[in-house]
Amino acid sequence: VIDPTDRGFALGDGLFETVLAERGDLRSLIAHLDRMTAGCAVIGLPPPDRREAEATMRAALAAAGLARTRAAVRLTLTAGGGGRGLDRPEPLEPFLVATAAPAPKPQAPARLIVSAVRRNDRSPTSRLKTLAYLDNVLARREARAAGADEALMLDTAGRLACAAAANLFWLKDGRLFTPALDCGVLPGIMRARVLAAARAQKIEVAEVAEGPEILASAEQIFLTNSLIGLRRAVQAGDEAVENHRLVDSLERAVESD
Amino acid sequence: VIDPTDRGFALGDGLFETVLAERGDLRSLIAHLDRMTAGCAVIGLPPPDRREAEATMRAALAAAGLARTRAAVRLTLTAGGGGRGLDRPEPLEPFLVATAAPAPKPQAPARLIVSAVRRNDRSPTSRLKTLAYLDNVLARREARAAGADEALMLDTAGRLACAAAANLFWLKDGRLFTPALDCGVLPGIMRARVLAAARAQKIEVAEVAEGPEILASAEQIFLTNSLIGLRRAVQAGDEAVENHRLVDSLERAVESD
C-alpha cells in the first residue's frame, strides 16, 4: 500500500524495471538493476540496495504464487513520500516495492500502427523507464482503437524510436536495423541481447535514424522486450510477410542465453 | 493508501488539480473541475463526479486541519488498479483521492533559469496536468542546482512554453505577453484569469511563440499558478527590475475575483 503523497504516485517521480521470471529465475537481473542504477544517477535518486531489491522481487513472486511459472516481476523505486510540489523533500526517503503477475508469451505477430504521440527525445526521461509513462499508455490506446496491438512512436524529428512497450528491429538484405538510442529510445535489455546475438552470428547491424517509411521495404519487423523476448510484427493492414530465418536464429540465441 | 498496481502509481496514468483553499473556500473550483473533465476526455477516463470530488477535497482539508488557513488541496484521479502493462483493464475502476498541505504565498521574486528539459508539444499530455510530471521535477531540480527557484521550459522547437509549475508572462511597452497554448503550454486557471483581467483593464495582450531571448528586453516577468497567484520573477543573474505598475494592477484584479 502506498502513501498518497508518494512522489511516484503524485508526479511520476521514480523508475521501474519489469523482469521476466521463469520458474523463479529472474532473467537478466543484473542488467535490470544496472539500468535502474544508471537511471537513478540521471534523475538524482539514490539507487536501491541490490540485495533488498532482489529480496523484494522474490517476495512479490512468492506472494503471488508465481514462483513456478512464467511471470512478470515489476520493481518500482520512487522518490518517496512527504512534501508538496515539485521540489523533493529533504531528507529523501525512497520507496521500493515489487509486484508480480502472470506473463504468457504472445504468439501471434504484433500488428503495428504509427502513433501521433511523439517521444520526447529532448528530455533525459525518453531514455529511462520512468513512472511518467502516460505518453506510452496513450500511444498504446491509439493502437488498440485502430484495431492494432502496439504503437510505434517517432521522436520529435519524426524518426522511428521504439514501440510503446518494446524496442523495434527490422531486417533487410540480410542486415539488422534498429533505431539509434539518440532517437529517444529506451536502451532495452533485450535490445542489447539481440544486438549481441546478431554480432555473434556475423549479421551486419546498423543503429539508424530513419522515418517510418523505411519499414515498407523491410523483409521482417520484430519487437523486443524482456517479457515478450522477440516478437514478430507487421504493419497493420499489411500482409504478413514470410518468416525470416534470421529472426528464428536470433530468437533461439536470446532464449538460450 | 494506494494499491501498488494503481495505474497512477505505476504509469502516471491519471490527472490532478491543485486548488487554492482560503479559509475553506476552494478558489476557482468549477474551472479546476472543468479542466480535469476536459483532460479526462483527452486521455480516455470517465470524469469524476463533481459532488464526490468536492466532498473528497473538503474531507482532505478538514482531516489535515487546514480548513481555516491558506492551503493547497490536490485532487488526483487515476485509471485505477488491476491489470499489468500499458493496456487499461476492463472494466476500468478510476480512483479518486485528495490531499491537503499548507501553502504559504511566496513573497520574493522567483529567480529563473531556462531548463535543458524540453516540453513535449508533440504529445497531448503537454497541455494536461497529468501524473506523468517527472520532466517538470527534473527541470525544477536543474533550477535549484543552479541556485534559482524555478525553471522555464521551452518546447521542442525552442520556443518559451511555461515554468515547471507555473505559466509565464512578461510586459513590454505596456503590452502583456504569454506563450501561446500550442507551445506545449498547460492552460492555467490563473493564466486565464490574468488574461481576462488584462483585457478588462484594456491592456493589449499577445499570445506568442518566441524564444527565451525575448525576455532580455521584458520590463517585468511574472509567473502564475493557482497557488502563488501572480509572482514576480527575474532571470537568475539579472538585476531585479523595478516593479511594474501593471503587475500590481493585475494582481489586485485576480486576488479580488
Side-chain angles (χ1 to χ4, degrees):
Chain A
V1 291
I2 288 135
D3 173 357
T5 74
D6 185 278
R7 296 175 57 86
F9 178 72
L11 298 163
D13 191 0
L15 299 170
F16 72 102
E17 290 290 331
T18 308
V19 178
L20 174 64
E22 287 184 309
R23 291 175 298 281
D25 179 22
L26 298 171
R27 302 293 306 266
S28 301
L29 178 61
I30 291 170
H32 283 287
L33 295 178
D34 283 349
R35 182 168 66 181
M36 181 175 272
T37 298
C40 284
V42 175
I43 71 169
L45 295 184
D49 178 85
R50 287 176 180 243
R51 285 189 194 176
E52 183 191 350
E54 182 173 348
T56 302
M57 295 169 83
R58 291 199 181 282
L61 201 56
L66 294 170
R68 293 174 167 277
T69 180
R70 191 180 199 277
V73 185
R74 180 183 151 125
L75 180 70
T76 301
L77 174 75
T78 83
R84 197 206 66 71
L86 297 182
D87 293 305
R88 292 187 182 140
E90 297 199 25
L92 199 64
E93 293 182 33
F95 175 70
L96 191 68
V97 67
T99 54
K105 187 172 163 66
Q107 298 301 327
R111 290 158 299 166
L112 306 175
I113 59 128
V114 175
S115 173
V117 180
R118 296 287 177 93
R119 297 279 293 181
N120 186 4
D121 52 296
R122 302 300 298 266
S123 166
T125 58
S126 66
R127 290 174 291 277
L128 302 176
K129 261 180 117 68
T130 81
L131 302 185
Y133 243 44
L134 181 56
D135 280 351
N136 303 54
V137 170
L138 297 183
R140 172 66 67 80
R141 210 174 127 73
E142 190 183 344
R144 293 293 187 196
D149 302 300
E150 178 57 307
L152 295 179
M153 298 179 77
L154 310 181
D155 71 7
T156 59
R159 306 172 303 182
L160 284 164
C162 49
N167 286 109
L168 169 68
F169 286 87
W170 65 95
L171 285 157
K172 180 164 166 64
D173 300 333
R175 295 172 69 200
L176 181 65
F177 297 87
T178 194
L181 292 180
D182 64 5
C183 300
V185 174
L186 184 81
I189 307 293
M190 189 56 72
R191 176 183 185 275
R193 287 174 61 192
V194 167
L195 290 175
R199 287 174 179 128
Q201 295 181 22
K202 313 289 184 203
I203 300 171
E204 195 181 336
V205 168
E207 299 184 52
V208 297
E210 294 277 4
E213 58 285 351
I214 194 83
L215 295 179
S217 63
E219 289 152 13
Q220 173 96 55
I221 304 168
F222 62 93
L223 305 178
T224 63
N225 73 29
S226 292
L227 294 186
I228 62 177
L230 190 157
R231 184 178 184 188
R232 290 152 189 80
V234 293
Q235 293 199 79
D238 279 12
E239 295 295 309
V241 294
E242 203 174 335
N243 189 43
H244 199 294
R245 66 174 178 80
L246 289 180
V247 180
D248 291 331
S249 145
L250 290 168
E251 187 171 32
R252 276 194 301 273
V254 296
E255 292 201 340
S256 67
D257 264 4
Chain B
V1 290
I2 288 137
D3 174 356
T5 74
D6 185 277
R7 295 175 58 86
F9 178 72
L11 298 163
D13 191 0
L15 299 170
F16 73 102
E17 289 290 332
T18 308
V19 179
L20 175 64
E22 287 184 309
R23 291 174 297 281
D25 179 23
L26 299 171
R27 301 295 305 268
S28 299
L29 179 61
I30 291 171
H32 284 286
L33 294 178
D34 283 349
R35 182 168 66 180
M36 182 176 270
T37 298
C40 284
V42 176
I43 71 168
L45 295 183
D49 178 85
R50 288 176 178 242
R51 284 188 196 178
E52 183 192 350
E54 182 173 349
T56 303
M57 294 170 83
R58 292 199 179 282
L61 201 55
L66 295 170
R68 294 174 166 276
T69 181
R70 191 179 199 278
V73 185
R74 181 183 150 126
L75 180 70
T76 302
L77 174 75
T78 82
R84 197 206 66 72
L86 297 182
D87 292 305
R88 291 188 184 140
E90 294 197 25
L92 200 64
E93 293 182 34
F95 175 70
L96 190 68
V97 68
T99 54
K105 186 171 161 68
Q107 297 302 326
R111 289 158 300 166
L112 306 175
I113 58 132
V114 175
S115 173
V117 180
R118 296 285 177 92
R119 298 279 294 181
N120 187 4
D121 53 295
R122 302 300 298 265
S123 166
T125 58
S126 66
R127 292 174 288 279
L128 302 175
K129 261 180 118 67
T130 79
L131 303 185
Y133 243 43
L134 182 55
D135 280 351
N136 304 55
V137 171
L138 296 184
R140 173 67 66 80
R141 209 175 127 71
E142 190 183 344
R144 294 294 188 192
D149 301 302
E150 179 56 307
L152 296 179
M153 298 180 76
L154 310 180
D155 71 5
T156 60
R159 306 172 303 183
L160 284 164
C162 50
N167 286 110
L168 170 69
F169 286 87
W170 65 96
L171 285 157
K172 180 165 167 63
D173 299 334
R175 295 172 70 200
L176 181 65
F177 297 87
T178 194
L181 292 180
D182 66 6
C183 300
V185 173
L186 183 81
I189 307 293
M190 188 56 71
R191 177 184 184 276
R193 287 175 60 191
V194 166
L195 289 175
R199 287 175 180 128
Q201 295 181 23
K202 312 290 185 202
I203 299 170
E204 194 181 336
V205 168
E207 300 183 51
V208 296
E210 294 278 3
E213 59 285 351
I214 195 83
L215 295 179
S217 63
E219 288 152 16
Q220 173 97 53
I221 305 169
F222 61 93
L223 304 179
T224 63
N225 72 31
S226 292
L227 294 186
I228 62 176
L230 189 158
R231 185 179 183 189
R232 290 153 189 80
V234 293
Q235 294 200 80
D238 278 12
E239 295 296 308
V241 295
E242 203 175 335
N243 189 43
H244 200 294
R245 67 174 177 79
L246 290 181
V247 180
D248 291 331
S249 143
L250 289 169
E251 187 170 33
R252 275 193 302 272
V254 296
E255 292 202 339
S256 67
D257 262 3

